[in-house]
Amino acid sequence: MLKAIILLILGLSALAAGFLTLKRELSVESVSISSADEAKSEMKNIFNDHGWFYLSGVALFMQIVFQGFHFTFEYFFYAFLISSGIQSLFHLFNKKELGYQVCTVIVVSFLVIYL
């Protein structure tokens, strides 16, 4: 039961962060790019994932280690939900420390598996 509550909170936080980001992007005026340097910096901002792939990898590794090495596709679901949820929670609270995010992903992965 606690596992479902944790996953629900993580899913709702990812949804809330997505809506807030969409609202922020729609309210900002369009960007006019006049030089190559501005274009490069804009592309870096677009493709900056703020460590999402790194967190997903850590969460997937923790799923494999904690649940055993017999691999199922359920591991992907939990890993993506945990990494996206944790990253969105940190995004909602305007915290960008990747080290804290990794520690939180490890703890939440442990809680989801053993609860």
Side-chain angles (χ1 to χ4, degrees):
M1 180 68 180
L2 191 58
K3 176 181 179 177
I5 293 171
I6 291 172
L7 293 175
L8 179 69
I9 291 170
L10 292 175
L12 289 176
S13 67
L15 189 62
F19 279 130
L20 289 176
T21 302
L22 179 64
K23 182 180 174 184
R24 189 176 314 133
E25 289 294 322
L26 291 176
S27 68
V28 174
E29 294 180 19
S30 64
V31 178
S32 62
I33 299 173
S34 60
S35 70
D37 291 334
E38 288 180 16
K40 286 180 185 177
S41 67
E42 188 65 27
M43 288 301 287
K44 285 182 183 177
N45 287 336
I46 290 172
F47 291 118
N48 188 3
D49 66 345
H50 301 288
W52 183 79
F53 289 110
Y54 180 66
L55 290 175
S56 296
V58 169
L60 186 61
F61 180 72
M62 289 297 111
Q63 294 291 318
I64 291 170
V65 167
F66 289 146
Q67 290 190 5
F69 288 97
H70 59 282
F71 186 78
T72 64
F73 289 107
E74 187 178 78
Y75 293 178
F76 278 115
F77 171 73
Y78 288 138
F80 291 141
L81 186 60
I82 290 170
S83 64
S84 297
I86 295 299
Q87 187 177 24
S88 63
L89 280 174
F90 275 82
H91 177 71
L92 290 172
F93 294 123
N94 291 324
K95 304 291 183 189
K96 304 292 185 204
E97 293 88 11
L98 191 61
Y100 292 136
Q101 290 178 5
V102 170
C103 292
T104 309
V105 164
I106 292 170
V107 169
V108 170
S109 295
F110 180 79
L111 289 175
V112 164
I113 292 166
Y114 290 112
L115 293 179

